[in-house]
């Protein structure tokens, strides 16, 4: 009679076979990631090829060490062990290690982080700062024993002697390197005597340069107040620090040349050019002022200042005529009105009322005349004062009173200061000009 097994007994037997089979204890499997959806802790997904699929489980501890992001359709190579889950009777692989198929995990991690940061705008040109044209002090974040700092010092000293270089000794590879780079960038930004910062190291493998691909380093460079030049690796090496920096140099020498875009000779030439341009501009301005002064000396107004108030005299005459004509017009109109009123009053035989109206009219006429006379007197007084002030400027009137105007080189003099024996002077008198030579200078003690 046949011996029937229960489902659980068969499943337990198969699980025992799975667990004891040495071939299934460490399986090397290659396939594409399928049905992946990131979970908070443990990850559950499938690995498939063209003909079959197997369920995969990766515990949280292993997933944190993965170093790259699992993506749908990504082909990976995994190492794990096969187990059978009794309640469902299904089998799966417990993934202990995984890496991308065809390219290394670091290369994939680099591309994934680069895409993430690019989408966030970290590499956009609008965030990059311009490098200063003239620097006095440069900070360098690198190893104190590498060739980078020596090349930078040599190049800067050759191109622009006098520029100071401040080294921030930094571990540039291995565990803790990224943290030191971030800390020294922060230290440099706390100083107010630095003009820019060079962050770099020599060449190496992707593992050697990896500190400059860490997200914390990219963040520190992006947030730096100081402009940063990245010089990491050789010309063919590229790190995320190069993408986010304000400028990238292929070598330390190139970084130093970028930090000092002009040499000392260029600076002296630039200063000489600006000095010459300033001198020429000053000469042009001085010539313009001299031409204006010469025109002013030749002006009729300075020789005949009374012409300044010719227009005011004409305006005053017109106003006087207008005032006189207006007063006559108003007086004539008042007389006509008086005649009309008088005729009306006579027809009514109201002599007393007529007399009152006549008195009122006479009072109005006198008040009008007084007001007009006051206006005229005020205008005449202001005109006389203005005329006297302007006539005081007329040198010919001063000379006419017995004074003379003494000039040296056509400049009027008011003191013996600056006059010495042998000087030629011009003396302007009422009817002519004398050319005299000074034989003796005596200065009064005041």
């Amino acid at each position: 009679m046949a011996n029937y097994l229960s489902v659980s007994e068969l499943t337990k037997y198969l699980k025992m076979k799975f667990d004891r089979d040495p071939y299934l204890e460490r399986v090397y499997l290659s396939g594409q990631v399928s049905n992946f959806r990131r979970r908070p802790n443990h990850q559950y997904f499938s690995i498939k090829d063209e003909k079959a699929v197997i369920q995969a489980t990766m515990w949280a501890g292993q997933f944190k060490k993965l170093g790259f992001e699992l993506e749908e359709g990504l082909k990976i190579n995994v190492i794990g062990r096969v187990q059978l889950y009794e309640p469902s009777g299904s089998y799966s692989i417990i993934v202990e290690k995984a890496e991308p198929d065809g390219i290394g995990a670091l290369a994939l991690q680099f591309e994934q982080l680069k895409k993430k940061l690019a989408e966030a705008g970290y590499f956009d040109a609008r965030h990059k700062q311009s490098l200063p044209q003239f620097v006095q002090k440069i900070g360098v974040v690198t190893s104190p024993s590498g060739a980078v700092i020596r090349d930078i010092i040599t190049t800067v000293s050759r191109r622009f002697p006098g520029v100071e270089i401040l080294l921030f000794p930094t571990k540039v590879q291995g565990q803790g390197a990224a943290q030191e780079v971030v800390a020294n960038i922060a230290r440099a930004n706390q100083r107010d005597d630095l003009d820019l910062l060079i962050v770099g190291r020599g060449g190496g493998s992707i593992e050697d340069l990896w500190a400059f691909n860490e997200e914390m380093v990219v963040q520190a460079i992006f947030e730096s107040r100081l402009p940063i030049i990245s010089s990491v690796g050789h010309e063919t090496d590229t790190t995320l620090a190069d993408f986010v920096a304000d400028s990238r140099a292929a070598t330390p020498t190139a970084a130093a040349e970028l930090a000092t875009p002009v040499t000392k000779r260029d600076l002296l030439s630039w200063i000489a050019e600006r000095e010459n341009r300033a001198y020429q501009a000053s000469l042009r301005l001085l010539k313009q002022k001299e031409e204006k002064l010469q025109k002013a000396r030749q002006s009729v107004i300075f020789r005949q200042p009374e012409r300044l108030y010719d227009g005011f005299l004409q305006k005053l005459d017109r106003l006087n005529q207008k005032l006189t004509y207006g007063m006559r017009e108003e007086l004539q109109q008042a007389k006509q009105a008086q005649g009309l009123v008088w005729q009306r009053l006579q027809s009514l035989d109201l002599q007393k009322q007529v007399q009152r109206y006549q008195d009122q009219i006479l009072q109005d006429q006198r008040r009008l005349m007084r007001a007009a006379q006051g206006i005229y007197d005020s205008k005449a007084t202001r005109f006389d004062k203005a005329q006297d002030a302007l006539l005081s400027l007329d040198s010919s009137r001063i000379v006419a009173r017995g004074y003379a105007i003494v000039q040296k080189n056509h400049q009027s003099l008011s003191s013996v200061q600056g006059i010495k024996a042998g000087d030629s002077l011009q003396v302007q008198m009422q009817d002519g000009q004398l050319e005299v030579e000074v034989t003796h200078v005596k200065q009064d003690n005041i």
Side-chain angles (χ1 to χ4, degrees):
M1 185 175 179
N3 186 15
Y4 291 91
L5 297 174
S6 65
V7 174
S8 58
E9 288 175 333
L10 176 61
T11 303
K12 183 177 291 187
Y13 174 78
L14 293 174
K15 176 174 172 51
M16 182 183 63
K17 286 289 188 181
F18 271 67
D19 293 341
R20 292 181 180 181
D21 189 337
Y23 181 76
L24 299 179
E25 286 181 0
R26 181 165 294 274
V27 176
Y28 295 80
L29 191 65
S30 179
Q32 285 184 324
V33 175
S34 179
N35 296 324
F36 176 76
R37 178 174 61 84
R38 185 163 182 164
R39 292 170 171 80
N41 295 307
H42 310 308
Q43 307 300 316
Y44 302 95
F45 54 97
S46 302
I47 301 175
K48 67 177 183 178
D49 58 18
E50 296 82 358
K51 298 180 180 180
V53 61
I54 185 173
Q55 300 301 313
T57 300
M58 181 174 284
W59 307 127
Q62 297 297 329
F63 184 71
K64 289 180 180 178
K65 301 176 184 178
L66 192 58
F68 65 96
E69 294 291 337
L70 288 176
E71 297 177 353
E72 187 73 18
L74 177 66
K75 189 172 183 181
I76 58 174
N77 297 324
V78 302
I79 301 175
R81 54 187 176 83
V82 177
Q83 73 167 9
L84 189 142
Y85 186 58
E86 293 183 56
S88 63
S90 60
Y91 78 100
S92 64
I93 182 170
I94 306 299
V95 178
E96 298 173 351
K97 185 178 180 181
E99 65 179 15
D101 181 60
I103 58 175
L106 289 178
L108 179 63
Q109 186 176 352
F110 175 89
E111 293 300 329
Q112 289 177 342
L113 185 55
K114 177 183 175 183
K115 180 180 178 182
K116 171 188 172 182
L117 296 173
E119 291 175 350
Y122 278 72
F123 308 147
D124 292 352
R126 59 191 174 93
H127 296 309
K128 297 187 183 298
Q129 303 182 67
S130 299
L131 300 181
Q133 188 175 12
F134 303 110
V135 295
Q136 294 180 327
K137 197 168 188 178
I138 302 170
V140 181
V141 176
T142 191
S143 170
S145 59
V148 173
I149 186 62
R150 293 196 300 271
D151 291 347
I152 291 175
I153 293 174
T154 300
T155 304
V156 171
S157 300
R158 171 177 53 83
R159 287 175 58 84
F160 214 121
V163 173
E164 295 184 56
I165 296 176
L166 178 62
L167 173 65
F168 293 86
T170 308
K171 183 179 181 180
V172 292
Q173 79 177 64
Q175 187 175 4
Q179 288 79 0
E180 285 197 25
V181 173
V182 170
N184 281 330
I185 290 176
R187 285 178 55 203
N189 274 272
Q190 292 173 357
R191 301 179 65 101
D192 56 5
D193 59 342
L194 295 178
D195 297 306
L196 61 81
L197 200 59
I198 298 176
V199 177
R201 58 149 291 153
S205 65
I206 188 172
E207 290 84 2
D208 295 337
L209 305 179
W210 192 252
F212 297 90
N213 291 320
E214 293 283 0
E215 188 170 359
M216 67 173 66
V217 173
V218 174
Q219 185 74 29
I221 295 175
F222 181 78
E223 295 176 352
S224 173
R225 173 185 59 83
L226 294 169
I228 290 183
I229 300 175
S230 174
S231 177
V232 180
H234 297 304
E235 188 170 357
T236 56
D237 298 321
T238 303
T239 64
L240 296 180
D242 296 328
F243 288 106
V244 72
D246 299 297
S247 185
R248 190 248 174 177
T251 62
T253 299
E257 290 175 349
L258 283 175
T260 54
V262 295
T263 64
K264 188 174 183 179
R265 180 180 299 176
D266 295 333
L267 178 59
L268 293 175
S269 176
W270 180 85
I271 293 174
E273 179 188 357
R274 295 302 187 279
E275 182 180 10
N276 182 61
R277 289 172 61 181
Y279 175 73
Q280 295 298 330
S282 300
L283 286 181
R284 288 193 297 270
L285 181 60
L286 183 60
K287 185 177 181 180
Q288 292 174 2
K289 298 297 183 183
E290 289 178 347
E291 290 176 353
K292 288 184 178 180
L293 179 60
Q294 188 63 28
K295 290 180 180 179
R297 285 174 177 171
Q298 298 173 357
S299 173
V300 175
I301 294 176
F302 280 88
R303 290 187 286 108
Q304 298 180 355
E306 64 272 8
R307 292 196 178 187
L308 285 171
Y309 52 84
D310 285 348
F312 293 101
L313 286 174
Q314 295 174 0
K315 185 176 181 181
L316 182 61
D317 288 340
R318 289 195 299 269
L319 291 174
N320 191 18
Q321 293 174 2
K322 185 177 180 181
L323 179 62
T324 303
Y325 177 77
M327 291 173 60
R328 288 175 180 174
E329 284 290 323
E330 291 186 11
L331 184 59
Q332 185 65 29
Q333 292 175 4
K335 286 181 178 181
Q336 292 176 358
Q338 181 184 10
L340 293 174
V341 172
W342 178 253
Q343 291 175 3
R344 292 178 62 185
L345 291 176
Q346 279 186 337
S347 64
L348 296 174
D349 195 22
L350 299 174
Q351 291 294 335
K352 292 182 178 181
Q353 188 172 0
V354 170
Q355 186 63 41
R356 285 197 301 272
Y357 278 119
Q358 286 180 334
D359 293 342
Q360 183 65 41
I361 290 171
L362 288 175
Q363 291 177 5
D364 291 341
Q365 289 176 348
R366 294 190 188 98
R367 187 167 55 253
L368 182 61
M369 291 295 292
R370 285 196 300 271
Q373 186 64 40
I375 294 173
Y376 177 80
D377 291 343
S378 176
K379 296 288 186 179
T381 301
R382 291 176 60 187
F383 172 75
D384 291 340
K385 290 182 179 179
Q387 185 177 25
D388 292 341
L390 290 172
L391 287 176
S392 66
L393 301 175
D394 189 354
S395 59
S396 61
R397 292 176 179 267
I398 298 174
V399 172
R401 293 200 299 271
Y403 295 96
I405 298 175
V406 181
Q407 295 182 322
K408 178 182 178 181
N409 297 327
H410 303 290
Q411 299 289 330
S412 297
L413 302 177
S414 61
S415 172
V416 297
Q417 292 290 338
I419 300 176
K420 61 182 180 297
D423 286 350
S424 296
L425 303 179
Q426 299 84 38
V427 180
Q428 181 68 45
M429 305 187 71
Q430 180 180 5
D431 54 353
Q433 179 174 299
L434 300 178
E435 295 287 339
V436 300
E437 180 177 345
V438 178
T439 60
H440 178 69
V441 178
K442 180 180 180 182
Q443 184 175 0
D444 294 335
N445 293 324
I446 299 177

